[in-house]
């Protein structure tokens, strides 16, 4: 028989061994050889903290009492793992992207980095998990008592034992878990210790199972026969419980703080999840494979004994001491790993969401950035929290008297943490989820859980008086804890889970629908819901007033001096800066916040960065809220924007109109003085010479003739000018009536050439291609001729080549007829090409023969006719292009 | 010796008319259509009188007048300005620039002769 | 280039196969849940009921389903990895949403 002292020695040796393993792992990681620590297999094994002492001992007891029902506790998580693609994949991505430290952190971060929500979730988690920790204490104590009962040499007091177990676990946890501050610096030591423990408990349980099936029963078929003839030999299952427990176990698997810790917080990449998605269900299968055989054998061989301890008592009573010690170590492993991770996960939550914010708030009156190292505060608060949580578990164990069956305690815990589900899932899948909705759902669910499950679990007369259980509080029967709304006769657990989760979901949904999330919530919501689309991170910080130095000081206090400097240096290099101080760009601030969040949680990190950036009192929420507090403001401002844009547009239009008017007025003045000039100039000659003719007696005859002809020419010039002016005025006012007629282009050009022909010798040679000109037209033939005359006359007048030549070429394209008039003169200077179609624009020396209205008139005519005239940009010669739309041409056919 | 008048005008017929009038009155008339050449000529040989058209191609009459008055030796040179634009503001511009007389086209021959005689008495 | 269209055919097929494997992965939890809920339909064995399932057959059923699901889950992931690994080597492919 193994003595109790011997057993304690074994335990201590085992713990020492775990320490060694953990220490070695951390050393390896520190040397950068820890890659294997992130292997998917280690991740999978670390998930095994789902299997606690409850599983190890309790499952057998559960099977002995209720048959196959125990298996639902494993089927639920298996289903969740099988469905990793749906939920877990998204959860771990969010966890990695946001640097989430706990489930409370996730929920608070999702709902606008709200610390009140984080505190609420933390409190719920502590209350929900405490029974579970008590359960571990109980199982270790019970297992010790089994050995004590067989060891006459020692007196064994359960209460004292439980205390020492709790004390030992607390020390163990503190030594293991609170050495590193940053939860993102993976806790390699713990992870590897848990992996080892996972193997130990699996091996222990399999060993007992194999011993039972092949050692005691004598083989599989014999075992099956025994099973069928045993008390639990018939398939007998409460269907409601079967469904509810499967569901509940699946939910708890997602929501338990310790599961969240190993599954989401410690996750490095999707590969880990891929392996775990089938390997972990395999682990669970193996863990539960021998549960029924052990239970059946236990029932058969030691009736009356506590079925929760069959795993131990079977080998013990059969003298298999070594196997019993192994089994004990298995149970011990299950309990220790669970307590370590659970208390650490809870301690992180308590420290990040309760202690630090309070400490920060107290510091806020002083300057937060000058006083001591926050790392010490965080570390201390985490250690104290671990102690408190394990202490709470011990108190619960003492208070509940350790009487409850293990499984029932575990399920109460499950139902408690399951209340996180609506807020968590809603948060990551539904952008409409709001903080108030989450708060409402959590409080409703949690309240119902406390009322219908937790309080009654202490037994009638425990916390709730007997009368409340049977008649309801103050005699309100529909509020009876085990028959809400008068639905009696349901299983207590099914009843509690059903009501708490449904009402939780409904409250969450309804309140979310009718509340409007704050801007930060919406930003975070969008980011989390769309995490798989690789959405860019929320640009939380826009202020850049932050002093880089202050930030560095703060970061040093949280991350440690060297790490913080390295971070700043790294960022400075990224920003292309020299030296060690990175610019506090929004991107960097966000990165910094995320790094800090890994140590102190999202909400706290946010607040701390906020203190430095915005100064106390101004949070980004405020900033954003100012900018777009509600959809109404947004809408209103967008309306204002529209209106102001409209006003600007109107003002611009008015200004334009005014400019146009001014321009018109200036143009009118210029036009009038031009007309005046053009009229007065010939008039001057006429008057001067007529006076000369009148007043000069001795004028020679040739002079008389000459002066008379000048008068005559100037009078003609005057008339032509007046004609042109009238013509232009009519054209510009649109009063012109077009006399449409049919003809061919050829005849028009013929007429124009003829009309432009001067009396006498014409030096200008006109080159034509008569074949191409044979195109029928329907248009105002006279007007078109006028344009052509003008162009030919201009060529004659201004072409300064020695042998002036004008080429008239006709091209027919789709929809248009193009007539080009190109001479071999020097062309028009580029600067003047713009103005040649303006009125009175005469270029170069003026021989007085034109008023500069010709081309202006041509342009007007072509516009009336639906065509256009343009200057041809050419390297040599002056060219004008007349385009006539073909619609007119076709109409003639 | 006959007095020298420089006429800056771009209309050939008007040049001919003024040349006829002044030559008969004993003037030596030199005409230029371009302001630039006219300025050069003035510098070469200072005339007794300048008759300046307001609107000229290239450098206009007003610019020539301003340039002229900016040089000390031309400050007192009599200038008769002619314009066909007939706007009141042109008269102001001309007198500000330093024109001694301002006449609107079409003018009467006697008025021109009188103005010339007044500006450059024999 | 003659091998171009061939390559694209392979890529297409691989992408298709990846998607179907992914469908399998997505469906697996529902199939598993469905099979795990089947025992609810078994007659509830009272003491008097001769037709009730024996515990051993229930055990065999539950554990067999469980085991098969694990194998299928593992196989699907392995197959999917193999396909997408090949896909990465051949040509860069859009990851599934």
């Amino acid at each position: 028989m193994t003595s109790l002292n011997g057993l304690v020695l074994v335990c201590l040796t085992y713990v020492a061994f775990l320490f060694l393993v953990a220490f070695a792992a951390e050393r390896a990681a520190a040397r950068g050889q820890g890659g294997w620590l992130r292997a998917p297999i280690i991740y999978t094994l670390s998930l095994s903290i789902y299997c606690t002492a409850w599983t190890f001992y309790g499952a057998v007891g559960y099977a002995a009492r209720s048959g196959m029902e125990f298996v639902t506790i494993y089927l639920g998580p298996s289903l969740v793992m099988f469905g990793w693609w749906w939920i877990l994949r998204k959860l771990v991505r969010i966890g990695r992207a946001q640097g989430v430290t706990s489930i409370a952190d996730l929920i608070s971060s999702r709902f606008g980095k709200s610390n009140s929500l984080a505190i609420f979730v933390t409190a719920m988690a502590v209350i929900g998990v405490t029974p579970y920790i008590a359960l571990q204490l109980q199982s270790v104590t019970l297992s010790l008592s089994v050995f004590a009962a067989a060891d006459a040499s020692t007196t064994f007091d359960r209460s004292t034992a439980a205390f020492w177990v709790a004390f030992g676990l607390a020390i163990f946890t503190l030594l293991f878990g609170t050495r590193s501050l940053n939860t993102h610096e993976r806790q390699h030591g713990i992870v590897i210790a848990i992996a080892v423990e996972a193997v130990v408990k699996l091996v222990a349980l399999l060993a007992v199972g194999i011993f039972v099936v092949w050692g005691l029963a004598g083989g599989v078929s014999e075992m099956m026969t025994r099973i069928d003839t045993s008390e639990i030999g018939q398939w007998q299952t409460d269907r409601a419980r079967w469904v509810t427990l499967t569901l509940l176990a699946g939910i708890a698997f997602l929501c338990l703080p310790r599961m969240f810790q190993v599954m989401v917080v410690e996750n490095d990449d999707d590969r880990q999840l891929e392996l775990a998605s089938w390997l972990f269900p395999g682990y669970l299968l193996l863990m539960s494979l021998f549960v029924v055989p052990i239970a059946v054998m236990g029932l058969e061989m030691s009736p009356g004994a506590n079925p929760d301890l069959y795993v131990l008592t079977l080998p013990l009573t059969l003298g298999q001491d070594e196997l019993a010690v192994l089994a004990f170590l298995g149970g011990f492993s299950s309990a220790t790993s669970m307590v370590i991770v659970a208390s650490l996960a809870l301690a992180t939550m308590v420290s990040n969401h309760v202690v630090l914010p309070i400490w920060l708030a107290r510091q806020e009156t002083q300057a937060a950035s000058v006083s001591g190292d926050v790392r010490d505060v965080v570390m201390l608060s985490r250690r104290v929290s671990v102690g408190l949580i394990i202490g709470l578990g011990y108190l619960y164990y003492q208070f509940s008297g350790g009487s409850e069956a293990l499984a029932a305690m575990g399920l109460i815990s499950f139902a408690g943490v399951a209340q996180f589900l609506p807020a968590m899932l809603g948060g990551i899948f539904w952008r409409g989820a709001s903080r108030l909705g989450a708060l409402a759902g959590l409080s409703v669910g949690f309240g119902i859980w406390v009322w219908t499950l937790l309080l009654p679990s202490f037994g009638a007369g425990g916390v709730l008086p007997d009368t409340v259980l049977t008649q309801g509080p103050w005699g309100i029967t529909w509020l009876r804890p085990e028959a809400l709304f008068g639905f009696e006769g349901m299983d207590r657990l099914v009843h509690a889970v059903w009501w708490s989760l449904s009402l939780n979901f409904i409250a969450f949904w309804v309140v979310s629908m009718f509340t409007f999330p704050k801007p930060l919530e919406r930003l975070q919501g969008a980011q989390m819901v769309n995490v798989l689309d690789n959405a860019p991170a929320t640009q939380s910080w826009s202020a850049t007033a932050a002093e880089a130095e202050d930030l560095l000081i703060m970061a040093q206090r949280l991350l440690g001096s060297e790490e913080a400097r390295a971070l700043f240096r790294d960022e400075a290099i990224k920003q292309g800066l020299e030296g060690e101080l990175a610019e506090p760009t929004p991107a960097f601030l966000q990165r910094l916040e995320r790094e800090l969040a890994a140590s102190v949680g999202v909400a706290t990190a946010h607040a701390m960065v906020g203190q430095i950036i915005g100064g106390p009192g101004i949070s980004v929420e405020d900033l954003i809220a100012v900018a777009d507090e509600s959809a109404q403001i947004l809408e209103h401002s967008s309306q204002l924007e529209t209106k102001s844009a409209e006003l600007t547009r109107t003002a611009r239009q008015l200004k334009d109109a005014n400019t146009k008017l001014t321009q018109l007025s200036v143009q009118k003045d210029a036009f009038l003085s031009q007309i005046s000039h053009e009229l007065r100039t010939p008039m001057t000659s006429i008057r001067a010479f007529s006076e000369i003719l009148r007043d000069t007696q001795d004028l020679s005859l040739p002079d008389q003739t000459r002066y008379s002809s000048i008068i005559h020419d100037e009078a003609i010039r005057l008339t032509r000018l007046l004609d042109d002016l009238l013509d232009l005025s009519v054209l510009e006012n649109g009063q012109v009536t077009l006399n449409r007629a049919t003809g061919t282009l050829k005849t028009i050009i013929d007429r124009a050439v003829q009309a432009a022909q001067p009396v006498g010798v014409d030096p200008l040679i006109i080159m034509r291609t008569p074949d191409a000109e044979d195109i029928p037209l329907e248009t105002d033939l006279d007007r078109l001729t006028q344009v052509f005359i003008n162009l030919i006359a201009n060529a004659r007048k201004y072409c300064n080549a020695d042998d002036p030549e004008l080429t008239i070429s006709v091209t027919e394209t789709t929809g248009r007829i193009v007539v080009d008039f190109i001479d071999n003169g020097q062309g028009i200077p580029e600067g003047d090409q713009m103005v040649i179609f303006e009125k009175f624009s005469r270029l170069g020396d003026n021989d007085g023969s034109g008023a500069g209205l010709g081309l202006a008139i041509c342009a007007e005519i072509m516009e009336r006719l639906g065509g256009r005239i343009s200057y041809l940009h050419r390297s040599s010669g002056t060219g004008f292009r007349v385009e006539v739309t073909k619609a007119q041409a076709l109409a003639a056919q | 010796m006959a007095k020298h008048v420089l006429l800056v005008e771009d209309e050939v017929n008007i040049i001919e008319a003024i040349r006829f009038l002044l030559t008969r009155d004993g003037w030596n008339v030199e005409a230029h259509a371009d302001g630039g050449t006219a300025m050069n000529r003035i510098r070469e040989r200072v005339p007794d009188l300048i008759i300046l058209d307001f609107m000229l191609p290239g450098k206009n009459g007003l610019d020539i007048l301003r340039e002229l008055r900016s040089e000390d030796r031309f400050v007192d040179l009599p200038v008769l300005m002619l314009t066909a634009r007939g706007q009141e503001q042109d008269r102001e511009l001309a007198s500000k620039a330093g024109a001694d007389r301002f006449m609107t086209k079409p003018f009467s021959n006697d008025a021109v002769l009188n103005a010339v005689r007044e500006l450059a008495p024999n | 280039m003659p091998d171009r269209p061939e390559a694209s055919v392979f890529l297409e097929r691989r992408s298709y196969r990846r998607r179907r494997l992914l469908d399998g992965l997505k469906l697996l939890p529902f199939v598993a849940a469905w099979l795990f809920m089947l025992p609810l339909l078994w007659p509830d064995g009272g003491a008097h009921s001769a037709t009730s399932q024996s515990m051993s057959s229930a055990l065999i059923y539950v554990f067999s389903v469980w085991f098969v699901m694990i194998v299928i889950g593992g196989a699907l992931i392995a197959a999917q990895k193999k396909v997408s690994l090949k896909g990465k080597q051949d040509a860069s492919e859009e990851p599934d949403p």
Side-chain angles (χ1 to χ4, degrees), chain A residues 676 680 684 688 691 706 714, chain B residues 11 13 16 84-85 105 109:
Chain A
S676 167
R680 282 169 191 270
T684 309
E691 280 185 16
R706 184 174 147 67
E714 293 288 1
Chain B
E11 282 280 329
N13 291 340
E16 185 157 1
R85 301 213 306 180
K105 293 177 185 171
N109 293 352

Side-chain angles (χ1 to χ4, degrees), chain C residues 29-97:
Chain C
F30 300 102
V31 173
W34 176 253
L35 292 173
F36 285 144
M37 290 306 131
L38 188 72
L40 296 180
L41 302 177
W42 293 342
D44 202 342
H48 53 280
S49 167
T51 56
S52 70
Q53 293 282 334
S54 67
M55 185 54 123
S56 58
S57 58
L59 261 181
I60 290 167
Y61 174 78
V62 168
F63 280 94
S64 309
V65 168
W66 204 346
F67 182 71
V68 169
M69 288 299 131
I70 290 165
V71 170
I72 293 177
L76 280 176
I77 284 180
Q80 210 228 1
K81 265 189 176 169
K82 208 171 126 192
V83 171
S84 62
L85 210 71
K86 264 190 194 167
K88 260 178 207 161
Q89 283 165 354
D90 288 1
S92 61
E93 205 181 339
E94 282 293 304
D96 274 297

Side-chain angles (χ1 to χ4, degrees), chain A residues 282-330:
Chain A
Y283 184 93
L284 292 178
L285 183 146
L286 289 179
M287 280 302 273
S288 44
L289 192 57
F290 291 111
V291 166
V292 171
I294 295 170
V296 166
M297 201 55 84
L299 282 172
E300 197 175 299
M301 300 190 74
S302 46
N306 184 350
D308 283 336
L309 295 172
Y310 282 159
V311 177
L312 278 181
T313 50
L314 267 180
L316 264 186
T317 48
L318 292 166
Q320 299 283 336
D321 271 20
E322 290 78 14
L323 190 60
V325 170
L326 182 62
F328 173 80
L329 277 184

